[in-house]
Amino acid sequence: MSVKKLSMLVLTMITVFVLVACSSGESKESSNSNADTSNDTDTNTEESSNNEEEITLNFWAFGATNYEEMAAEYEEENPNVQIKFKTSETDEHHDALFNALSAGSGAPDIVLLEIDQFDRFKNAQDRFVNLYDLGAEEIEGNYLDWKWQGGENLDGDFLFGLPTDIGPKALYYRTDVFEEAGLPTEPEEVEALIDSPEAFIEAGKQVKEKTGKPFVDSIEMAFRAYLDAAEEGYLNPDGELIVEEDGSAVKKAYDFAVELHEAGLVGNFTLWSPEWANAVNEGGFAAELGAGWLKGWLEENAPDATGKFRVATLPSEFSANWGGSYLAIPAETEHSQAAYDFISWLTSAEGQLKSFQSHGLFPSAPEVYEQDEFKNNGDEFFGGQVSSVVFAEAAQDVSGTIYKGEKYVAVHNEFNNALINVQDGADPEEEWEAAVERAKGLVSR
């Protein structure tokens, strides 16, 4: 911060102190979570949520969370704080934030950032508050190391966001299909049997031979088996496409998906489609390499499958995280400390346990894994199995996060589309080469 700006800030804070002292008898505005979500125009800059100054925080989120309910709880504990909550579809949410940051106005005080979109915003570091400047280093030890590091810049001296949920992956499998195929059905036995990519393929072949059903649901999930666990993705930190380099993790993942397809182990179900939902419900395939958050979707959309699924840890080569988010504070805010107070409360172990219990947001705070409400809670959908313990073990086996870059989603879609074409009969190598060329075009823009 420049000397000039610092001087202006100090002067403004002194003015605020005088105004608040002289007007302590004024009435406080009532909270209205459905009010206009534009930034608060109050010029007060006293930021602590632990005083009597009235503070409005605009909070943008996406997806199904309990954050609006928790914001209301926080308002009760901090009567001087009003939180205006806005939720949107994922793409709409991130595009709106990108446009506001680009314009230099209209951004909220607090924003939820999805992990696949995060690097898109890390290129605009000056548009965010460094949470290390607000004392975040004091709570670093409360979170999984790899999740915390994913919220930093490449140099590790700027923290964009506090960790919220994560998506540790495990093997979801149908016990009825496994039993029909002559495979074990108890999680411990499944983990012992399917302990490598090779064993994964052999189990899939047995399912196909005995039941006629595909082992996994879609070619995208086969692709993500190695992709999500990779140490490098499509791009390096300089924004360069690296999929053609020797030992490319993306090419390895692509070839594995092709291998499973050619062995007849991959279903032709598009994720989230009605056909896919029916297959989940009716046992149209045997297994899914899914993240912890998938549990909530299955419970809501596949009621006939209740009691027929179990989860087991994946082979170490597939151990990975898929999904999750961070809470960040755009630099436009006039209440950075108050915003930080709220998000540190929201992402505490207690807050994350509540989010897990109400909406299945899997915690990134290991302290939660030791709490009785977490580890002794059997799931009816999984036949009474305590699935949370399996995902907690998977979370602690994740080695880190990869650099994705601002064009990750678009580039990923090109290679996924190539694999879909392979399923429709196209040549795998021709599709790979075509996807590489399309990705080069995207990166060069």
Side-chain angles (χ1 to χ4, degrees):
M1 180 181 290
S2 67
V3 174
K4 180 178 179 181
K5 289 183 177 179
L6 181 60
S7 300
M8 291 178 65
L9 179 59
V10 171
L11 179 60
T12 304
M13 292 179 69
I14 293 172
T15 303
V16 169
F17 178 82
V18 173
L19 289 175
V20 171
C22 294
S23 58
S24 58
E26 292 181 3
S27 62
K28 181 170 65 68
E29 292 181 10
S30 60
S31 173
N32 180 5
S33 295
N34 297 318
D36 179 20
T37 55
S38 60
N39 269 338
D40 181 22
T41 57
D42 189 344
T43 57
N44 291 345
T45 57
E46 173 61 51
E47 295 172 337
S48 174
S49 59
N50 297 318
N51 57 61
E52 295 306 314
E53 190 236 342
E54 296 176 15
I55 295 171
T56 297
L57 299 175
N58 293 298
F59 182 5
W60 289 4
F62 63 90
T65 70
N66 70 333
Y67 293 160
E68 185 169 15
E69 292 83 358
M70 291 191 69
E73 180 181 338
Y74 188 81
E75 288 178 330
E76 291 182 5
E77 295 179 8
N78 299 272
N80 61 306
V81 178
Q82 175 185 1
I83 300 171
K84 296 181 178 180
F85 185 85
K86 174 185 176 182
T87 186
S88 308
E89 294 297 321
T90 303
D91 289 342
E92 176 188 345
H93 165 83
H94 289 92
D95 288 345
L97 177 65
F98 186 86
N99 292 336
L101 295 177
S102 298
S105 64
D109 300 280
I110 301 165
V111 66
L112 187 65
L113 294 173
E114 199 270 335
I115 191 169
D116 284 352
Q117 300 266 3
F118 202 174
D119 285 338
R120 174 184 180 190
F121 295 95
K122 285 184 177 180
N123 290 332
Q125 181 172 301
D126 63 325
R127 305 301 173 91
F128 290 91
V129 173
N130 185 354
L131 302 188
Y132 282 135
D133 292 341
L134 299 175
E137 69 280 352
E138 297 176 4
I139 60 173
E140 179 177 354
N142 297 342
Y143 303 91
L144 292 164
D145 289 343
W146 61 265
K147 177 66 174 181
W148 183 271
Q149 291 161 9
E152 296 178 319
N153 65 356
L154 292 175
D155 294 329
D157 58 4
F158 191 103
L159 185 68
F160 287 87
L162 292 185
T164 59
D165 60 311
I166 55 176
K169 292 178 68 174
L171 182 71
Y172 290 75
Y173 63 95
R174 292 274 303 214
T175 55
D176 51 349
V177 178
F178 268 45
E179 184 175 10
E180 184 182 352
L183 295 173
T185 59
E186 290 300 316
E188 296 81 4
E189 295 175 331
V190 171
E191 290 171 6
L193 176 69
I194 305 177
D195 61 354
S196 68
E198 295 75 20
F200 184 87
I201 293 174
E202 289 306 310
K205 288 180 177 178
Q206 187 167 331
V207 167
K208 182 67 175 179
E209 178 184 353
K210 299 292 186 180
T211 72
K213 294 179 179 180
F215 191 52
V216 296
D217 61 333
S218 66
I219 202 160
E220 180 177 1
M221 289 299 95
F223 181 37
R224 297 194 78 119
Y226 271 115
L227 183 67
D228 289 337
E231 294 182 0
E232 291 184 319
Y234 299 104
L235 305 165
N236 65 20
D238 293 325
E240 299 166 334
L241 194 70
I242 57 175
V243 298
E244 293 183 289
E245 295 182 358
D246 290 342
S248 163
V250 175
K251 187 61 163 65
K252 180 179 181 180
Y254 183 94
D255 290 344
F256 182 73
V258 170
E259 180 182 359
L260 263 61
H261 161 67
E262 292 179 343
L265 308 184
V266 179
N268 197 12
F269 303 108
T270 301
L271 283 174
W272 322 123
S273 69
E275 294 78 15
W276 180 78
N278 288 336
V280 172
N281 208 29
E282 298 170 2
F285 57 90
E288 175 74 277
L289 289 79
W293 47 259
L294 182 63
K295 166 194 165 185
W297 190 98
L298 294 177
E299 288 177 320
E300 183 175 347
N301 293 277
D304 293 344
T306 299
K308 297 177 181 178
F309 271 98
R310 300 290 187 277
V311 288
T313 56
L314 286 164
S316 59
E317 294 88 345
F318 298 159
S319 178
N321 180 75
W322 177 23
S325 302
Y326 292 85
L327 283 170
I329 302 175
E332 288 179 38
T333 183
E334 296 179 349
H335 303 296
S336 59
Q337 187 63 56
Y340 176 78
D341 291 345
F342 171 64
I343 66 173
S344 59
W345 174 88
L346 188 65
T347 59
S348 66
E350 181 181 358
Q352 291 203 13
L353 177 62
K354 290 180 180 179
S355 297
F356 173 74
Q357 290 174 319
S358 67
H359 283 70
L361 302 184
F362 201 84
S364 58
E367 180 185 335
V368 180
Y369 307 160
E370 302 303 319
Q371 298 184 20
D372 289 340
E373 300 95 321
F374 178 85
K375 64 182 182 180
N376 296 326
N377 185 19
D379 296 312
E380 180 183 359
F381 187 85
F382 293 103
Q385 181 186 8
V386 183
S387 63
S388 56
V389 173
V390 178
F391 289 110
E393 181 180 346
Q396 294 171 94
D397 286 340
V398 175
S399 58
T401 58
I402 65 170
Y403 176 80
K404 294 188 173 181
E406 61 179 299
K407 297 184 179 179
Y408 172 85
V409 174
V411 171
H412 171 75
N413 288 341
E414 294 298 345
F415 289 92
N416 190 55
N417 289 337
L419 285 168
I420 292 173
N421 293 339
V422 169
Q423 270 199 300
D424 291 338
D427 179 79
E429 286 307 310
E430 290 181 1
E431 284 299 318
W432 168 262
E433 293 171 4
V436 169
E437 292 306 310
R438 292 194 299 270
K440 286 180 179 178
L442 286 170
V443 171
S444 66
R445 293 174 191 169

